[in-house]
Amino acid sequence: MRQRPRRNRKHPLVRALARETALDPARLILPLFVHELPGDQPIASMPGCARLGERGLLEEVEGALGDGIGAVALFPVVPEGDKTPDGRGAYDPRGLIPRTLRLLRERFPDLVLVTDVALDPYSSDGHDGLVAADGRILNDETVELLVRQALCQAEAGAQVIAPSDMMDGRIGAIRDGLDAAGHQEVSILAYTAKYASAFYGPFRDALDSAPRHGDKKTYQMDPANSKEALRELALDEAEGADLVMVKPAGPYLDVVRALAESTPLPVAAYQVSGEYAMLKAAAERGWIDERRAVLESLLAIRRAGASAILSYYARDAARWLRSG
Ligand code: PBG
C-alpha cells in the first residue's frame, strides 16, 4: 500500500506536525452575567455560572485574564420591576452595564469589553425589539433605540458592540451613530446569523428574559436555512460590520463554514447556554469526559472556520489547554 494515512498519526509529535487546527485562549470570549446585588447567585440551568455582583465580577475577570482570555461579553440581569414595555433602561447612562463598563475599564485597561445590543433584558415583554399593540415587533422604531443603546455603551468604554437583536438595518444605523459621535474606533461584532433556537433556554433563565408572549421567529432566523445566512452576511458587510457571528455554534457548523468561506471578515461563533448545559449535564452524570468533550466541541467550531468563540467554558478550556 502506498497510501497509509495512519503514518501521520503514529506518534504524538507527528500528529502535532500534521494538525490543521489549534485552540488558543486568546480566541475565546467569556460571556458574563452581572446583576445589581452585591453577592453572586448561581444559575440553576447553567451549573458553574452565576449572576455576578461587583466583587464576584472583578474576581472572575481577573481570573479570566490570568487564564489568558482577553475579552468578556457582558449581559445584565434587570430586576422585574425595572423592566418597561419600551426597554428604555437599555440606554440609561447610569444603568448597570455602563457602570460595569466604567469599573472594568478602570481596573483592567487592556481587557476587551464586548456589549450586547438588544432590548430583551430591559423589556417587560422579553422581546429584543419594541412590541406593537397587535404583537408585531417594530423594526425601524427599535433600530433608533438600539443606536442609543450602542452609543451609551461606547461612551462608557465598550470597544466591541455586539447587536444580537436581528432587526433589519441595525448594523448600518449603529455604525453611522457611532461615527457621528466620534466613536470610529469602536468595533461592531454583528450577530449575523442568529437562529430562533431552543438552545437559548438557560440564558433566558439567567436573565429572566423569556418572551412573555409569542416567540422570536419573526426576527431570528429559521433553523432550516443557510443561504439566508449569506444574505444577512452581505448586508452586515455592506453596513460596516467588523466581525460577523453565527449563533448557536455546534448545531450550525455548516453555517460557520459557509460564512468563513464567503467573507474576508473574521467569523465568531457563540457556543450558547443550551450547548453548555448539555455538556455540563452529561458530564455531571459521568456520561462524558467533560474536559475532552468540551475541548473537542470548541476545536470543531474552530475547524469549521471560526476565528473567535464565545463560550461559558472559556476559562475551563483555557486552563485545560494550559495544563496540556
Ligand atoms: C438576546 C440574546 C440571547 C442570547 C444572547 N443574546 C437570547 C435570545 O435571543 O433569546 C443567548 C445566549 C445564550 O443562550 O447563551 N438578545
Side-chain angles (χ1 to χ4, degrees):
M1 252 188 292
R2 290 185 189 146
Q3 294 294 344
R4 288 186 183 270
R6 288 186 54 197
R7 277 196 290 268
N8 284 349
R9 304 178 199 136
K10 68 186 167 196
H11 184 278
L13 295 175
V14 175
R15 289 197 293 276
L17 295 175
R19 190 159 297 135
E20 299 172 36
T21 312
L23 271 176
D24 170 0
R27 295 189 177 275
L28 301 174
I29 301 173
L30 177 66
L32 293 174
F33 301 107
V34 293
H35 67 178
E36 302 270 5
L37 304 174
D40 301 342
Q41 215 174 47
I43 300 163
S45 50
M46 301 179 72
C49 296
R51 305 179 186 95
L52 301 169
E54 184 173 311
R55 189 170 157 184
L57 174 70
L58 292 174
E59 281 171 15
E60 187 68 20
V61 168
E62 188 151 15
L65 285 168
D67 294 334
I69 292 164
V72 298
L74 300 173
F75 295 95
V77 183
V78 178
E80 198 56 40
D82 292 350
K83 301 189 186 200
T84 60
D86 59 6
R88 75 180 90 96
Y91 44 90
D92 177 356
R94 289 152 312 172
L96 176 59
I97 288 293
R99 278 186 279 125
T100 304
L101 287 167
R102 285 190 209 100
L103 174 73
L104 293 178
R105 172 67 38 254
E106 188 189 305
R107 294 286 180 98
F108 308 103
D110 292 331
L111 177 70
V112 177
L113 297 170
V114 183
T115 49
D116 187 62
V117 168
L119 300 184
D120 54 323
Y122 306 93
S123 155
S124 47
D125 291 302
H127 277 288
D128 293 29
L130 285 173
V131 185
D134 62 2
R136 279 179 310 127
I137 307 299
L138 299 171
N139 193 89
D140 301 11
E141 294 82 345
T142 298
V143 170
E144 281 178 36
L145 303 184
L146 299 174
V147 172
R148 292 170 72 167
Q149 183 179 19
L151 282 174
C152 176
Q153 295 171 349
E155 300 290 345
Q159 297 102 328
V160 180
I161 304 279
S164 69
D165 54 282
M166 290 303 277
M167 296 300 120
D168 291 333
R170 90 278 206 214
I171 301 301
I174 290 172
R175 183 72 270 159
D176 289 348
L178 289 171
D179 288 357
H183 295 296
Q184 289 88 352
E185 310 258 297
V186 172
S187 312
I188 298 180
L189 163 57
Y191 284 68
T192 294
K194 176 174 178 178
Y195 287 88
S197 172
F199 291 99
Y200 308 148
F203 175 98
R204 293 178 188 173
D205 292 343
L207 263 56
D208 193 19
S209 65
R212 305 299 187 251
H213 52 84
D215 53 41
K216 299 192 174 185
K217 290 180 185 170
T218 68
Y219 47 106
Q220 298 180 349
M221 281 178 54
D222 183 340
N225 296 351
S226 67
K227 280 190 293 183
E228 190 183 357
L230 297 176
R231 184 177 189 203
E232 290 282 4
L233 171 66
L235 292 171
D236 287 353
E237 284 181 312
E239 291 177 33
D242 299 288
L243 305 101
V244 293
M245 179 145 67
V246 176
K247 174 185 176 185
Y252 294 86
L253 293 185
D254 58 323
V255 181
V256 173
R257 165 52 56 101
L259 260 57
E261 282 178 351
S262 309
T263 179
L265 296 177
V267 176
Y270 198 148
Q271 184 177 54
V272 299
S273 57
E275 299 177 80
Y276 175 85
M278 285 194 303
L279 287 161
K280 201 45 127 180
E284 280 182 347
R285 284 164 181 72
W287 292 347
I288 55 169
D289 177 329
E290 185 173 34
R291 172 186 170 134
R292 289 186 52 215
V294 168
L295 290 177
E296 183 177 330
S297 71
L298 295 170
L299 185 68
I301 296 166
R302 283 277 294 133
R303 191 197 59 235
S307 173
I309 306 173
L310 283 91
S311 172
Y312 302 97
Y313 269 118
R315 285 195 65 190
D316 289 319
R319 282 193 295 257
W320 290 329
L321 289 168
R322 181 93 49 89
S323 65

